[in-house]
Every structure is written in C-alpha cells, then in structure tokens.
Amino acid sequence: MEAKTIGKFIAVLRKANGMTQKELAEKLNVSDKAVSRWEREESLPDLTLVPVIAELFQITADELLRGERRSAGDPANTSTFSSKGEKQIAHMLSDGKTRLMIRSMISVGLCIAGFIGASITNFGFYRGYIGFFIGCAFYAAAVLCEVCFFISAFGKVSGDDFESEALNRYKHDSLHIVKNTVSLAVVLFGATLPLIIWPEDAYQGILLPDWAIDALLFGGVFAVIAWIASMMITVIAERKGLYRPSDEKQEIRSHRRKLKLKIAGITLLVVAGTAIGQAVFNAAVPVSSLVEGTVFTDFESFRVYMEADVHDETYSLDSGEAVSIENEGYEDYEGISSDIEWTNDNGETWETLEYTWRNTTVAEIVTDRASANGNWEVRVLTNGDYTMGENRKARINMIWTIAYMIEIAAGVIIYLRKNRVTL
C-alpha cells in the first residue's frame, strides 16, 4: 500500500544516515513513539512534517511521498508532485478529516449530555436554574473541545508547500464540521434558556409542555443566529486566506451567501417583530382577563362565599348557601380578616366592608367596583379559574410558536426557490 511506502522509506533513510528513532524524533519535535508508528506503518506523519523530513534527508517532498528516490530519467522539477505523491497527500488529508470527525463526536456527546442533564435536573428535581447552568457547562466544554480540535486539524496543514484543490477542500470540510458542531451547542443553549427565564426563583422548574413550546421557539431563533454566524465565519475565513476555493465555486458560494444573508436578515426581522408582539400580548393580557370567574353584585353573597369553609372547587351558588368541606388540615383554619371598599364608577369611596377570607379556593379578587346601576360588583377568581386561564394562554402562545415556525419555513422555502431559479 502507498501509505506503507512512506514509513518504510523513512526507516531506510534514517538508518542510512545513522540515526536512531529517538534522534530523528528530537529533530522533528515529535516523540520516538510517533516515529516508531510511522515505520511500523501504523500511521502517517503530519503533512506539515513532510517538507521538514525531506529537507533533513536531502530529498524532495515528492520523493518522500512516493516512497522512493526519483530515477535519473524522471523530470527534475521539484515544485510539483507526481500522481503518486498527490494520492499520498489526498490520503493523508482524508485521514486527518476522519480523525476530526471522530473527535467532533466527543463534542456532540458533550452537547447531548448537557441537554439530558438539564432535563433530568428540571423534571426530576424541579430545579430549572441548576439545570440551565449544568447544560451551559457541557455546551461550553463542547465548544472549547471543538476549537482545540479545529486548531489541531488546521495546524497540521498550515504550510504553503501543498496548496492544491484537495487541501482547500480539506480545509473547507474541516471548517464545515466544526461550524456544525458549534451550531448544535448554540441551538441546544437556546432550547435550555427557558429554564432560567420563566422560573420565578432557583427552587422552581418548568413543566414539559411549557418547556417544549419555548424550547422550539428559542431553539429556532438561535438556529437562525447560528446560521448567520456560520456564513459570516465562512466569509472571514475566505478573506483571511484560510482556504481558497476555485473561482467557479467561489462565485456560486458568493451568490448563495448573499442570498442567504438577505433572506436570513429579513426572516430574523420578521421573527423579531413577532416575538415583540408576543411579549406585548403576554404583558398586556393577564391570565385573569381570559376567564370570567364568579361575579357578585351584593356584598352579602360575596361575604358568604369568602367566609365559606371550602377548600376545593365543589362550592356552588345554586343552593344559595356555602357548602362546608372538612378537609384534613383545615379543621382549625380561621381565615384572614380582610376588608373591601364599596365604590362607584367615579372612584368615590362609599363604605369599607369587612369580611373573613376563609375560602382557600379563592386565588384573587380581580375587581371591586360599582356597576352602572349603582349596585356593588366584584369578580372572584379561584385556583381552578387560574388553571383554566393559564391553559388558554398557553394555547394562544402555541399559536405564536406556530407563527414562528411558519415564518422560518417560509424563509427557507423562498431561499431554495430563488437559489434554484438563479442558478
């Protein structure tokens, strides 16, 4: 095999120059074990070491890659590589790309482990804050590992001795692998973000239906952000000369990049406008406005309702009397002394009426006002009313989430259609 030829040839050259594996390793700043693996045909030297080894043994890089000295009848041009040398370069680049893909699986595993850890902490222990920071720690570790893998992969082909289409393709593919892995970490970070936004304190979590909706929303937004950042990184890499694609590919990529940036920018603006609309809706429309509750037009009915020994949702006004429920833990509950002002439409206080808040099913007294005919009126919401209101608001927010998905899908479809028509 061609890969074996290099190792054998290095061994022959080393012995011919009277060097030990350790001495050769010291000159190349590698370990003697690395040299041993080359000569045993278990691995190949990094591409950047090829010209160094060739200069050390006073041969050309092409001769080293071919695994033999150039014969007297071969051309003496040392600036190009033979087909055999090109194949060796392609083989070494393919080997480096495979190593990068395998290493990237470590970063992907860290991302998945972080998301699973955040989920277990939130659902198992109901600690959203802790789950968020656990996830972030894994995502940060994944990005750090991927950056190190990227530096290692590019450091092995950083020289200008082997500039070719194969090398440009290797650099492009390697950068693509790293961008995809980092983008995964960014998207999962967005999906984990609701764990620290919605809980009121560090000792709370969020339920699966709520997180599922918000995870899709935030994950989609961060996916768009990662997509735009990925395109910007590609532009910077090409301008900095990190790799140089062919003129034809560069023209196609330039067109696609401009089209992506344009459509992604418009899509992001539309999504941002929808997000502002949702935020305004959630702030302006409280849960209490989505349910009617129980309305009282006279104080005596209100007082009987509030002073009823009721601790679940079985109370009814049909009988006109309070239903006594003796639940465990409430036998000695005396209630809370409260008062309410009887006012007219102009806000003029007529009278302050006192009552005892004993009914523990009541969550909030929403209004205390005089009706149009001057009768006293108040609306009371129970825990069950609040649950119903929260469910209604969740369904409305689901519509907002569907709107986000439609907007993002529309952007992708428009891009695909315009890209196909133009090209």
Side-chain angles (χ1 to χ4, degrees), residues 1-12 14-15 21-22 24 31-45:
M1 294 176 59
E2 295 169 348
K4 295 181 179 180
T5 307
I6 297 178
K8 290 181 178 179
F9 194 35
I10 290 177
V12 170
R14 176 182 61 78
K15 293 175 182 178
Q21 290 182 344
K22 185 175 182 180
L24 177 59
S31 66
D32 54 346
K33 293 182 179 179
V35 175
S36 177
R37 286 195 297 270
W38 299 343
E39 296 183 357
R40 293 200 309 271
E41 303 163 354
E42 294 178 358
S43 65
L44 292 169

Side-chain angles (χ1 to χ4, degrees), residues 336-353:
I336 302 173
S337 297
S338 305
D339 59 68
I340 191 168
E341 293 181 345
W342 178 7
T343 63
N344 60 13
D345 291 334
N346 297 324
E348 299 175 356
T349 300
W350 290 1
E351 187 177 1
T352 299
L353 304 175

Side-chain angles (χ1 to χ4, degrees), residues 100 144-158 178:
L100 177 60
L144 181 61
C145 287
E146 198 64 16
V147 170
C148 294
F149 298 153
F150 170 76
I151 295 174
S152 176
F154 268 68
K156 295 177 180 179
V157 293
S158 58
V178 173

